[in-house]
Amino acid sequence: MSTAAQTAQGVPPKPAAPSKPTTLWSLLLHNRLAAVGLAFILLWTVIALIAPWIAPYDPYATDMANKLQPPSAGHWFGTDNFGRDILSRVLYGARISIWTGLIAVAISFFIGVPLGGIAAYYGGRTGTVIMRVMDVLLSFPSLVLSMAIAASIGAGLSSAMIAVGVVGIPEFARLMFGQTVSLREKEYVEASRAIGVKDSVILYRHILPNALAPLLVQATLGMGFAILTASSLSFLGLGVKPPIAEWGAMISEGREYIISGQWWLVTFPGLSIATSILGFNLLGDGFRDVLDPRLRSGK
Amino acid sequence: MKKVKLLSTLIAFSVMLAGCASSANPQTPAATNSANSGAAAQSAAKPFLTVAYSEGGTTLDPAEANDLTSDTLVLAAYDQLVTYGIKTENGVNLANTEDIQPMLAESWEVSDDNTVYTFKIRPGVTFQSGNPVDAAAVAYSFERVASSSSGSFLYGMASIKSVTAKDDSTVEITLTAPNHMFLQIISMYTFSIVDQKTVEAQGADYLKTNAAGSGPFTLEKWDPATEAVFTPYEDYWQGAAQLGKVTLKFTKEASNRVLLLDKGDVDMAIEIPPKDVSALESNSNLTVASNASNRILYFAMNSKVEPFNNVKVRQAINYAIPYDELLSGVMYGQASQMKSSVASNTPGFTDAGYVYEHNLDKAKELLKEAGYENGFTFDFTLGSGFDDWEDDAVLIQAELAKIGVTMNINKLARAQFLEQQKTHNLTSYISKWTSFVNDPGYHLGFLMYGSGSSNYNNYQNAEVDKLWEQANAEPDQAKREELYKQAQEIITTEAPWAYLYEYNRIVGMSNKISGYAFYPDEVIRFYPLTKQQ
């Protein structure tokens, strides 16, 4: 992605550091944008974990007497058309979004990586078939494909997770494919093969660890994508079921109220989606900068 | 070289496709264009009307039309044998469905035993094609309804046995038994008179995408995704319409329709969300017509599925509905309380047996008596497309949670929802209903009669069925209404539905528009409308 390169160049040369950072984390923290991204992610993760303790109200308690109240001291983010506290719903929504992102990326990762590895390692017809199927999946716009999957297995949170997960598979498969193609010719892989190590062990022990860096970048970026796509599905009515507090669904429910002036129904869940995705994208770019030796040596 | 060849073939092919697409467009036959070019010059001086509609319609075939937009398109392009009269109540024009007025039939006679109707066709009336409207076309149109998939139920409900063209201008319709709803049913868009000669020349599918009627407007264009355009039929027998052009803009999002109307980009908009009514009323260029309608909204419980096969459980749900919150919070007062399975403005309505109010203690007590002291979990199917349904569902869900009942809301797209409903297997759902013939016999026949075609929640009561059958054969209006009242009381007590509310029909329009009348079928008739320029 071009943004990665720009980000890397956009970071001003650091003043002579007292000690040259060497570990992944310290490198990452010296990349300011990545640090900002990490901060957003940590913030939302902590919120997701402790939402029940910090939410000022029950996110599902309706109070028709206080509906559509603008932000105030009592309701920081205002109330929605059922009088539910939007701040509490946004905080609870973090749980759904982070959880959806994790599960979806896990599905993509644990299916995509083995497929890509097998396709590259064995090559031949198996490889061709697997990778052509991946190409077919990639040829659909991701949101359209996830909508088709979610619609065919029925709306709901778990089907949204599966849909988003399946859509992410080809990215991981292609990445792993590329890595494996170059790694399988390395001497240590040939040596292992020569002494009779099983293929599965070679793939898992020798190839995967060396291919992990780009996969990690993809997984981080994929989290942002998964959160956005899952929210889009909920916005379109294919995600969570009412009354679950989910950011995309909240925007969908609130959009009817924009023209009548109740901006807070959509603004706060919208900002939440934006900041969480920004966090994952910045961190992903940071990972890429740190893990790519060519970029690192440039500094 | 090979690539260039391939490319040029592709281009040629796509040009061919494009050519096909434009020539296949059935809405602009060359003949109509040339015939209308003179008319276009005349109509240019007349004002144009633009209306924002919510949906784009599915068919133009009168016998198959079964949604608001399709019905509207059909009524603009076709005439019927007879039609509804108009009355004025509190300065508002309303259709009077009991008052049947002549249309293509100039007059009619009824035999002494009320089973044979003889219609005299108005002389000199022509279809838009120029063919004369005659008795043969009427008989043909009725046969089409009889063999259609959507209209045939109405054909049966009107008790029609045979339709015969006696001579060019006389049609005799024989009924299987006297039927008090007959004239009201044949006034519906379903029984529009179609141009037999044109249809026979063009083939059976012609009417799906084309109009062949004698109505006040000629269809210029219909694209369900964007718009439909009508121009006046200059030789219309009642005189050409006052409008030079009518455009229906299909605008799915309610907020967009509100914006278009508010900014003056359209002259009328239908399906205005209740929450936007007060803002539109403050716009001095607009009038908002909000009329009590007979469109009802109910929460249906499947009488064959546990635990709703238990009357007490259904009654308990009725006590758990937050009626006032639905009326004020969701509908902003643009609805009224529903107290029977029949709308309150239907002749023969009674609220006998209606005892329900929002009372969670009573609901719990009934659940306990039914053996569900600890509550239960059930599936609820929510069809998309109506914002108030989802709001109602969420509020009901919150109330039911208070009595230990868990309601799982499954959302379905509207088309899927309608399909699922037809399986009779949904455990519970919210649905609306409008009886185009404002009569309890018609209404209950669809919804509460054991084998009614829209009794999707499987309500069965032998006594209700018997009362309905008795009433249908009863010629005396007062006695018939008495029978319907007995049926309503049984139904309300047995609570196959929880009654949510009766909608107001909300149409927003520019102050320049006059001539609007409200019909129970909610279709806007464009012919009587005029617009100041």
Side-chain angles (χ1 to χ4, degrees):
Chain A
M1 249 183 267
S2 62
T3 45
Q6 283 159 13
T7 315
Q9 285 153 13
V11 177
K14 291 179 193 71
S19 63
K20 206 171 156 61
T22 46
T23 66
L24 181 63
W25 289 112
S26 51
L27 276 168
L28 208 63
L29 291 176
H30 276 78
N31 180 335
R32 273 186 218 162
L33 284 174
V36 171
L38 190 64
F40 274 132
I41 296 170
L42 283 177
L43 175 72
W44 281 119
T45 313
V46 169
I47 286 175
L49 288 172
I50 62 171
W53 292 278
I54 55 170
Y57 296 88
D58 176 354
Y60 302 114
T62 59
D63 176 10
M64 294 303 271
N66 283 312
K67 67 174 184 171
L68 299 174
Q69 295 294 313
S72 64
H75 296 277
W76 290 3
F77 287 2
T79 61
D80 70 3
N81 51 325
F82 297 109
R84 298 178 298 200
D85 181 54
I86 291 179
L87 174 61
S88 307
R89 289 180 69 76
V90 164
L91 297 179
Y92 269 81
R95 311 192 114 194
I96 306 270
S97 287
I98 303 275
W99 184 238
T100 313
L102 280 175
I103 298 288
V105 168
I107 291 173
S108 312
F109 188 95
F110 287 108
I111 298 179
V113 169
L115 282 178
I118 290 167
Y121 189 77
Y122 293 105
R125 187 166 292 178
T126 321
T128 312
V129 169
I130 292 177
M131 293 321 288
R132 287 302 83 74
V133 171
M134 295 298 122
D135 288 344
V136 169
L137 283 179
L138 269 181
S139 67
F140 290 99
S142 49
L143 184 60
V144 174
L145 182 60
S146 54
M147 278 171 65
I149 298 171
S152 59
I153 55 181
L157 185 58
S158 44
S159 57
M161 288 175 183
I162 294 171
V164 177
V166 169
V167 169
I169 290 174
E171 289 286 350
F172 284 94
R174 292 227 312 194
L175 213 50
M176 184 66 183
F177 182 84
Q179 293 289 314
T180 313
V181 164
S182 65
L183 290 173
R184 71 170 178 196
E185 308 300 338
K186 298 270 187 215
E187 285 87 350
Y188 61 86
V189 175
E190 284 185 6
S192 312
R193 222 174 358 223
I195 60 169
V197 179
K198 278 199 288 184
D199 288 347
S200 56
V201 177
I202 295 176
L203 269 171
Y204 182 70
R205 282 273 167 79
H206 302 295
I207 294 184
L208 183 61
N210 289 293
L212 211 51
L215 293 175
L216 190 62
V217 174
Q218 177 59 31
T220 316
L221 293 171
M223 276 291 287
F225 165 79
I227 292 174
L228 183 64
T229 312
S231 297
S232 308
L233 287 179
S234 290
F235 177 83
L236 295 167
L238 289 165
V240 298
K241 295 171 182 176
I244 302 293
E246 200 273 352
W247 297 337
M250 288 171 73
I251 295 177
S252 176
E253 287 158 16
R255 76 189 195 285
E256 283 288 329
Y257 294 87
I258 299 176
I259 58 159
S260 44
Q262 287 91 3
W263 53 271
W264 55 92
L265 268 71
V266 294
T267 306
F268 295 111
L271 280 175
S272 310
I273 294 178
T275 50
S276 58
I277 295 170
L278 184 68
F280 281 109
N281 283 358
L282 289 178
L283 184 68
D285 286 347
F287 267 138
R288 189 196 311 262
D289 298 347
V290 171
L291 294 171
D292 191 329
R294 275 170 303 156
L295 284 174
R296 202 184 331 168
S297 59
K299 284 182 200 165
Chain B
M1 236 0 243
K2 218 175 173 185
K3 267 190 184 161
V4 175
K5 248 187 188 170
L6 185 72
L7 195 69
S8 54
T9 323
L10 265 177
I11 291 173
F13 189 59
S14 57
V15 168
M16 269 167 61
L17 272 180
C20 285
S22 58
S23 66
N25 184 352
Q27 275 83 41
T28 48
T32 341
N33 274 356
S34 61
N36 274 352
S37 56
Q42 287 178 25
S43 61
K46 293 180 183 173
F48 289 5
L49 179 79
T50 312
V51 189
Y53 256 67
S54 47
E55 287 163 347
T58 53
T59 179
L60 292 176
D61 187 338
E64 300 295 354
N66 200 14
D67 63 274
L68 184 66
T69 306
S70 302
D71 305 348
T72 305
L73 300 173
V74 166
L75 278 171
Y78 289 90
D79 285 331
Q80 295 73 40
L81 272 186
V82 289
T83 191
Y84 306 120
I86 297 282
K87 62 184 172 189
T88 306
E89 271 177 21
N90 308 326
V92 179
N93 293 330
L94 301 168
N96 182 1
T97 54
E98 284 125 87
D99 170 27
I100 301 298
Q101 295 288 326
M103 202 172 196
L104 289 179
E106 193 177 34
S107 61
W108 61 93
E109 283 166 15
V110 189
S111 68
D112 292 341
D113 64 352
N114 286 313
T115 57
V116 181
Y117 287 72
T118 310
F119 293 92
K120 208 80 191 147
I121 306 298
R122 193 178 295 277
V125 179
T126 53
F127 287 109
Q128 290 166 5
S129 64
N131 295 329
V133 175
D134 55 15
V138 173
Y140 174 78
S141 304
F142 275 65
E143 277 162 31
R144 287 191 78 255
V145 176
S147 56
S148 69
S149 58
S150 176
S152 53
F153 185 79
L154 284 170
Y155 197 85
M157 192 167 243
S159 314
I160 302 171
K161 189 169 152 194
S162 65
V163 181
T164 333
K166 286 283 166 192
D167 57 51
D168 271 2
S169 62
T170 314
V171 177
E172 189 181 277
I173 300 182
T174 312
L175 307 188
T176 51
N179 187 317
H180 63 282
M181 293 186 288
F182 168 69
L183 287 174
Q184 293 186 38
I185 292 178
I186 65 163
S187 304
M188 288 172 65
Y189 55 86
T190 311
F191 293 87
S192 293
I193 307 308
V194 304
D195 183 353
Q196 180 181 12
K197 293 195 180 91
T198 303
V199 179
E200 282 173 348
Q202 301 279 354
D205 284 346
Y206 180 74
L207 287 184
K208 284 184 186 164
T209 49
N210 294 272
S214 58
F217 291 96
T218 310
L219 185 67
E220 288 288 304
K221 178 190 173 197
W222 173 51
D223 174 8
T226 54
E227 60 178 13
V229 180
F230 287 103
T231 49
Y233 171 39
E234 297 297 336
D235 295 328
Y236 188 53
W237 61 274
Q238 298 190 66
Q242 297 299 303
L243 299 164
K245 190 177 183 184
V246 176
T247 308
L248 307 189
K249 282 203 176 301
F250 302 132
T251 315
K252 216 174 166 196
E253 284 280 314
S255 49
N256 289 348
R257 291 196 297 278
V258 172
L259 269 184
L260 287 172
L261 183 68
D262 200 29
K263 299 273 175 274
D265 293 333
V266 297
D267 302 304
M268 294 179 100
I270 65 159
E271 310 272 355
I272 303 283
K275 71 178 176 61
D276 295 317
V277 168
S278 62
L280 286 178
E281 277 172 339
S282 66
N283 181 337
S284 58
N285 297 322
L286 299 177
T287 308
V288 181
S290 177
N291 305 106
S293 75
N294 61 342
R295 186 201 284 196
I296 55 169
L297 188 77
Y298 54 88
F299 180 101
M301 294 167 270
N302 195 327
S303 306
K304 281 201 176 141
V305 172
E306 258 186 83
F308 295 130
N309 52 1
N310 186 325
V311 175
K312 292 232 161 86
V313 173
R314 301 201 297 259
Q315 288 170 336
I317 302 287
N318 269 268
Y319 277 107
I321 307 272
Y323 297 102
D324 291 342
E325 284 187 359
L326 300 188
L327 287 177
S328 62
V330 176
M331 293 306 291
Y332 292 78
Q334 301 292 334
S336 44
Q337 188 159 10
M338 178 181 163
K339 290 187 169 178
S340 168
S341 49
V342 170
S344 59
N345 57 5
T346 303
F349 156 86
T350 178
D351 63 0
Y354 190 83
V355 288
Y356 310 108
E357 51 173 353
H358 183 226
N359 184 342
L360 295 180
D361 294 331
K362 182 85 183 154
K364 270 190 202 158
E365 202 178 296
L366 282 162
L367 279 186
K368 194 175 168 184
E369 285 173 32
Y372 290 96
E373 199 174 351
N374 300 319
F376 59 91
T377 300
F378 71 98
D379 284 329
F380 169 87
T381 307
L382 175 68
S384 69
F386 302 94
D387 289 327
D388 60 310
W389 295 17
E390 180 162 345
D391 292 0
D392 296 335
V394 170
L395 285 174
I396 292 169
Q397 186 186 44
E399 289 307 299
L400 290 179
K402 293 178 189 166
I403 57 168
V405 175
T406 309
M407 167 170 152
N408 285 329
I409 300 179
N410 297 317
K411 274 205 215 175
L412 282 185
R414 176 112 183 111
Q416 274 175 296
F417 170 71
L418 294 176
E419 280 302 309
Q420 288 284 311
Q421 221 185 9
K422 284 181 191 153
T423 64
H424 293 246
N425 287 331
L426 293 180
T427 306
S428 67
Y429 55 89
I430 286 180
S431 195
K432 69 179 166 78
W433 184 269
T434 313
S435 274
F436 292 174
V437 173
N438 203 3
D439 181 285
Y442 178 94
H443 185 86
L444 298 174
F446 273 102
L447 295 163
M448 291 294 175
Y449 184 58
S451 54
S453 70
S454 298
N455 181 1
Y456 299 126
N457 53 312
N458 304 318
Y459 178 63
Q460 300 288 342
N461 183 302
E463 205 175 337
V464 168
D465 288 4
K466 209 175 88 191
L467 286 165
W468 184 81
E469 284 157 13
Q470 264 182 332
N472 263 17
E474 174 60 59
D476 184 79
Q477 172 85 15
K479 281 184 193 159
R480 197 166 61 227
E481 286 183 3
E482 188 47 45
L483 293 168
Y484 289 139
K485 283 178 181 174
Q486 289 175 30
Q488 286 173 64
E489 184 170 358
I490 298 171
I491 294 166
T492 302
T493 307
E494 293 208 317
W497 295 346
Y499 305 145
L500 301 185
Y501 41 78
E502 298 177 358
Y503 282 98
N504 279 14
R505 164 69 168 165
I506 307 169
V507 176
M509 66 191 102
S510 152
N511 286 337
K512 290 177 182 166
I513 306 290
S514 52
Y516 171 75
F518 170 75
Y519 283 75
D521 60 15
E522 302 189 355
V523 173
I524 300 174
R525 272 70 171 172
F526 299 119
Y527 181 68
L529 296 182
T530 54
K531 181 183 168 186
Q532 287 177 328
Q533 270 175 317

